[in-house]
Coordinates of all heavy atoms in Angstrom, one line a residue:
F52 N 28.6 -41.0 6.0 CA 27.5 -41.8 6.4 C 26.3 -41.7 5.5 O 25.7 -42.7 5.2 CB 27.1 -41.4 7.9 CG 28.1 -41.7 8.9 CD1 28.0 -41.1 10.2 CD2 29.2 -42.6 8.7 CE1 28.9 -41.4 11.2 CE2 30.1 -42.9 9.7 CZ 30.0 -42.3 11.0
T53 N 26.0 -40.5 5.1 CA 24.8 -40.3 4.2 C 25.1 -41.0 2.9 O 24.2 -41.7 2.4 CB 24.5 -38.8 4.0 OG1 24.3 -38.2 5.3 CG2 23.3 -38.6 3.1
G54 N 26.2 -40.8 2.3 CA 26.6 -41.5 1.1 C 26.5 -43.0 1.2 O 25.9 -43.7 0.4
D55 N 27.0 -43.5 2.3 CA 27.0 -45.0 2.5 C 25.5 -45.5 2.6 O 25.2 -46.5 2.1 CB 27.7 -45.4 3.8 CG 29.3 -45.2 3.7 OD1 29.8 -45.0 2.5 OD2 29.9 -45.3 4.7
C56 N 24.7 -44.7 3.3 CA 23.3 -45.1 3.5 C 22.6 -45.1 2.2 O 21.8 -46.0 1.8 CB 22.6 -44.2 4.5 SG 23.1 -44.5 6.2
L57 N 22.8 -44.0 1.4 CA 22.1 -43.9 0.1 C 22.6 -45.0 -0.8 O 21.8 -45.6 -1.6 CB 22.4 -42.5 -0.5 CG 21.7 -41.4 0.2 CD1 22.2 -40.0 -0.2 CD2 20.1 -41.5 0.0
Q58 N 23.9 -45.3 -0.8 CA 24.4 -46.4 -1.6 C 23.7 -47.8 -1.2 O 23.3 -48.6 -2.0 CB 25.9 -46.5 -1.5 CG 26.5 -47.4 -2.5 CD 28.0 -47.3 -2.5 OE1 28.6 -46.6 -1.8 NE2 28.6 -48.1 -3.4
A59 N 23.6 -48.0 0.1 CA 23.0 -49.2 0.6 C 21.5 -49.3 0.2 O 21.0 -50.4 0.0 CB 23.1 -49.3 2.1
K60 N 20.9 -48.1 0.1 CA 19.5 -48.1 -0.3 C 19.3 -48.1 -1.9 O 18.3 -47.8 -2.4 CB 18.8 -46.8 0.2 CG 18.6 -46.9 1.8 CD 18.1 -45.6 2.3 CE 16.8 -45.2 1.8 NZ 15.6 -45.9 2.4
K61 N 20.4 -48.4 -2.6 CA 20.4 -48.5 -4.0 C 20.1 -47.1 -4.7 O 19.3 -47.1 -5.7 CB 19.4 -49.6 -4.5 CG 19.6 -50.9 -3.9 CD 20.9 -51.6 -4.4 CE 20.9 -53.0 -3.9 NZ 22.1 -53.3 -3.1
R62 N 20.6 -46.1 -4.1 CA 20.5 -44.7 -4.7 C 21.9 -44.1 -5.0 O 22.3 -43.2 -4.4 CB 19.7 -43.9 -3.7 CG 18.2 -44.4 -3.6 CD 17.4 -43.9 -2.4 NE 17.5 -42.5 -2.2 CZ 17.0 -41.9 -1.1 NH1 16.4 -42.7 -0.1 NH2 17.0 -40.6 -0.9
P63 N 22.6 -44.8 -5.9 CA 24.0 -44.4 -6.1 C 24.2 -43.0 -6.6 O 25.2 -42.3 -6.3 CB 24.5 -45.4 -7.2 CG 23.3 -45.9 -7.8 CD 22.2 -45.8 -6.8
D64 N 23.3 -42.4 -7.4 CA 23.4 -41.1 -7.9 C 23.4 -40.1 -6.8 O 24.2 -39.1 -6.8 CB 22.3 -40.7 -8.9 CG 22.5 -41.5 -10.2 OD1 23.5 -42.1 -10.5 OD2 21.5 -41.6 -11.0
E65 N 22.5 -40.3 -5.8 CA 22.5 -39.4 -4.7 C 23.7 -39.6 -3.8 O 24.3 -38.6 -3.3 CB 21.2 -39.6 -3.9 CG 19.9 -39.2 -4.6 CD 18.7 -39.6 -3.8 OE1 18.4 -39.0 -2.8 OE2 18.0 -40.6 -4.2
A66 N 24.1 -40.8 -3.6 CA 25.2 -41.1 -2.7 C 26.5 -40.5 -3.3 O 27.3 -39.9 -2.6 CB 25.4 -42.7 -2.7
L67 N 26.6 -40.5 -4.6 CA 27.8 -40.0 -5.3 C 27.9 -38.5 -5.0 O 29.0 -38.0 -4.7 CB 27.7 -40.2 -6.8 CG 29.0 -39.9 -7.6 CD1 30.2 -40.8 -7.1 CD2 28.7 -40.3 -9.1
K68 N 26.8 -37.8 -4.9 CA 26.9 -36.3 -4.6 C 27.4 -36.1 -3.2 O 28.2 -35.1 -3.0 CB 25.4 -35.7 -4.7 CG 24.9 -35.7 -6.1 CD 23.5 -35.2 -6.1 CE 22.9 -35.3 -7.5 NZ 21.5 -35.0 -7.6
Y69 N 27.1 -36.9 -2.3 CA 27.7 -36.8 -0.9 C 29.1 -37.1 -0.8 O 29.9 -36.4 -0.2 CB 26.9 -37.6 0.1 CG 25.6 -36.9 0.4 CD1 24.4 -37.2 -0.3 CD2 25.5 -36.0 1.5 CE1 23.2 -36.5 0.0 CE2 24.3 -35.4 1.8 CZ 23.1 -35.6 1.0 OH 22.0 -35.0 1.3
Y70 N 29.6 -38.1 -1.6 CA 31.0 -38.4 -1.6 C 31.8 -37.3 -2.3 O 32.9 -37.0 -1.9 CB 31.2 -39.8 -2.3 CG 30.6 -41.0 -1.6 CD1 30.0 -42.0 -2.4 CD2 30.8 -41.2 -0.3 CE1 29.5 -43.1 -1.8 CE2 30.3 -42.3 0.4 CZ 29.6 -43.3 -0.4 OH 29.1 -44.4 0.2
V71 N 31.2 -36.7 -3.3 CA 31.9 -35.6 -4.0 C 32.0 -34.4 -3.1 O 33.1 -33.8 -3.0 CB 31.1 -35.2 -5.3 CG1 31.6 -33.9 -5.9 CG2 31.3 -36.3 -6.4
K72 N 31.0 -34.1 -2.3 CA 31.0 -33.0 -1.3 C 32.1 -33.3 -0.3 O 32.8 -32.5 0.1 CB 29.7 -32.8 -0.6 CG 28.7 -32.1 -1.5 CD 27.4 -31.9 -0.6 CE 26.3 -31.3 -1.5 NZ 25.1 -31.1 -0.7
A73 N 32.2 -34.6 0.1 CA 33.2 -35.0 1.1 C 34.6 -34.7 0.6 O 35.5 -34.2 1.3 CB 33.1 -36.4 1.5
C74 N 34.8 -35.0 -0.7 CA 36.1 -34.7 -1.3 C 36.4 -33.2 -1.5 O 37.5 -32.8 -1.4 CB 36.2 -35.4 -2.7 SG 36.3 -37.2 -2.5
E75 N 35.3 -32.5 -1.7 CA 35.5 -31.0 -1.8 C 35.9 -30.4 -0.5 O 36.8 -29.5 -0.5 CB 34.2 -30.4 -2.3 CG 33.9 -30.7 -3.8 CD 32.5 -30.2 -4.2 OE1 31.7 -29.7 -3.4 OE2 32.1 -30.4 -5.4
F76 N 35.3 -30.9 0.6 CA 35.6 -30.3 1.9 C 36.9 -30.9 2.5 O 37.6 -30.3 3.3 CB 34.4 -30.5 2.9 CG 33.3 -29.6 2.5 CD1 32.0 -30.2 2.2 CD2 33.4 -28.3 2.5 CE1 30.9 -29.4 1.9 CE2 32.3 -27.5 2.2 CZ 31.0 -28.0 1.9
S77 N 37.2 -32.2 2.2 CA 38.3 -32.9 2.8 C 39.1 -33.7 1.7 O 39.0 -34.9 1.6 CB 37.9 -33.9 3.9 OG 37.3 -33.2 4.9
P78 N 39.7 -32.9 0.8 CA 40.3 -33.6 -0.4 C 41.4 -34.6 -0.1 O 41.7 -35.4 -1.0 CB 40.8 -32.4 -1.3 CG 40.9 -31.3 -0.3 CD 39.9 -31.5 0.7
N79 N 42.0 -34.5 1.0 CA 43.1 -35.4 1.3 C 42.7 -36.6 2.1 O 43.5 -37.4 2.6 CB 44.3 -34.6 2.1 CG 45.0 -33.7 1.1 OD1 45.2 -33.9 0.0 ND2 45.3 -32.5 1.6
D80 N 41.4 -36.7 2.4 CA 40.9 -37.9 3.1 C 40.5 -38.9 2.1 O 39.8 -38.6 1.1 CB 39.7 -37.5 4.0 CG 39.4 -38.6 5.0 OD1 38.7 -39.5 4.6 OD2 39.8 -38.5 6.1
R81 N 40.8 -40.2 2.4 CA 40.4 -41.3 1.4 C 39.0 -41.6 1.3 O 38.5 -42.1 0.3 CB 41.1 -42.5 1.9 CG 42.6 -42.5 1.9 CD 43.1 -43.8 2.6 NE 44.5 -43.9 2.4 CZ 45.2 -45.0 2.3 NH1 44.5 -46.1 2.3 NH2 46.5 -45.0 2.2
L82 N 38.2 -41.4 2.4 CA 36.8 -41.9 2.5 C 35.9 -41.4 1.3 O 35.2 -42.2 0.7 CB 36.2 -41.5 3.8 CG 36.8 -42.1 5.1 CD1 36.2 -41.6 6.3 CD2 36.7 -43.7 5.0
G83 N 36.0 -40.2 1.0 CA 35.2 -39.6 -0.1 C 35.6 -40.2 -1.4 O 34.7 -40.6 -2.2
W84 N 36.9 -40.3 -1.6 CA 37.4 -40.9 -2.9 C 36.9 -42.4 -3.0 O 36.5 -42.8 -4.1 CB 38.9 -40.8 -3.0 CG 39.3 -39.3 -3.0 CD1 40.0 -38.7 -2.0 CD2 39.1 -38.4 -4.1 NE1 40.2 -37.4 -2.4 CE2 39.6 -37.1 -3.6 CE3 38.5 -38.4 -5.3 CZ2 39.6 -36.0 -4.4 CZ3 38.4 -37.3 -6.1 CH2 39.0 -36.1 -5.6
K85 N 37.1 -43.1 -1.9 CA 36.7 -44.5 -2.0 C 35.2 -44.7 -2.2 O 34.8 -45.6 -2.9 CB 37.2 -45.2 -0.7 CG 38.8 -45.3 -0.7 CD 39.3 -45.9 0.6 CE 39.2 -47.4 0.5 NZ 39.9 -48.1 1.6
G86 N 34.5 -43.8 -1.6 CA 33.0 -43.9 -1.8 C 32.7 -43.7 -3.2 O 31.8 -44.4 -3.8
Q87 N 33.3 -42.6 -3.8 CA 33.0 -42.4 -5.3 C 33.4 -43.6 -6.1 O 32.7 -44.0 -7.0 CB 33.8 -41.1 -5.7 CG 33.3 -39.8 -5.2 CD 34.1 -38.7 -5.8 OE1 34.0 -38.5 -7.1 NE2 34.8 -37.9 -5.0
L88 N 34.6 -44.1 -5.9 CA 35.1 -45.2 -6.7 C 34.2 -46.5 -6.5 O 34.1 -47.2 -7.5 CB 36.6 -45.5 -6.3 CG 37.5 -44.4 -6.8 CD1 38.9 -44.6 -6.2 CD2 37.6 -44.4 -8.4
S89 N 33.7 -46.7 -5.3 CA 32.9 -47.8 -5.1 C 31.6 -47.8 -6.0 O 31.1 -48.8 -6.4 CB 32.5 -48.0 -3.6 OG 31.6 -47.0 -3.3
I90 N 31.2 -46.6 -6.4 CA 30.0 -46.5 -7.3 C 30.5 -46.4 -8.7 O 30.0 -47.2 -9.6 CB 29.3 -45.2 -6.9 CG1 28.6 -45.3 -5.6 CG2 28.2 -44.9 -8.0 CD1 28.0 -44.0 -5.0
L91 N 31.5 -45.7 -9.0 CA 32.0 -45.5 -10.4 C 32.5 -46.8 -11.0 O 32.5 -46.9 -12.2 CB 33.0 -44.4 -10.4 CG 32.5 -43.0 -10.1 CD1 33.7 -42.0 -10.0 CD2 31.5 -42.5 -11.2
V92 N 33.0 -47.7 -10.2 CA 33.6 -48.9 -10.7 C 32.5 -49.7 -11.4 O 32.8 -50.5 -12.3 CB 34.3 -49.7 -9.6 CG1 33.3 -50.4 -8.7 CG2 35.2 -50.8 -10.1
G93 N 31.3 -49.5 -11.0 CA 30.2 -50.3 -11.6 C 29.5 -49.6 -12.8 O 28.6 -50.2 -13.5

Side-chain angles (χ1 to χ4, degrees):
F52 291 165
T53 304
D55 289 351
C56 289
L57 290 167
Q58 190 171 3
K60 290 174 63 79
K61 308 288 189 236
R62 293 163 49 190
D64 292 342
E65 292 174 71
L67 193 56
K68 292 176 186 176
Y69 283 90
Y70 294 137
V71 168
K72 282 184 189 178
C74 291
E75 289 170 1
F76 290 122
S77 299
N79 291 321
D80 192 280
R81 296 172 173 214
L82 295 175
W84 297 111
K85 291 175 83 165
Q87 286 185 64
L88 289 166
S89 69
I90 293 170
L91 294 173
V92 75

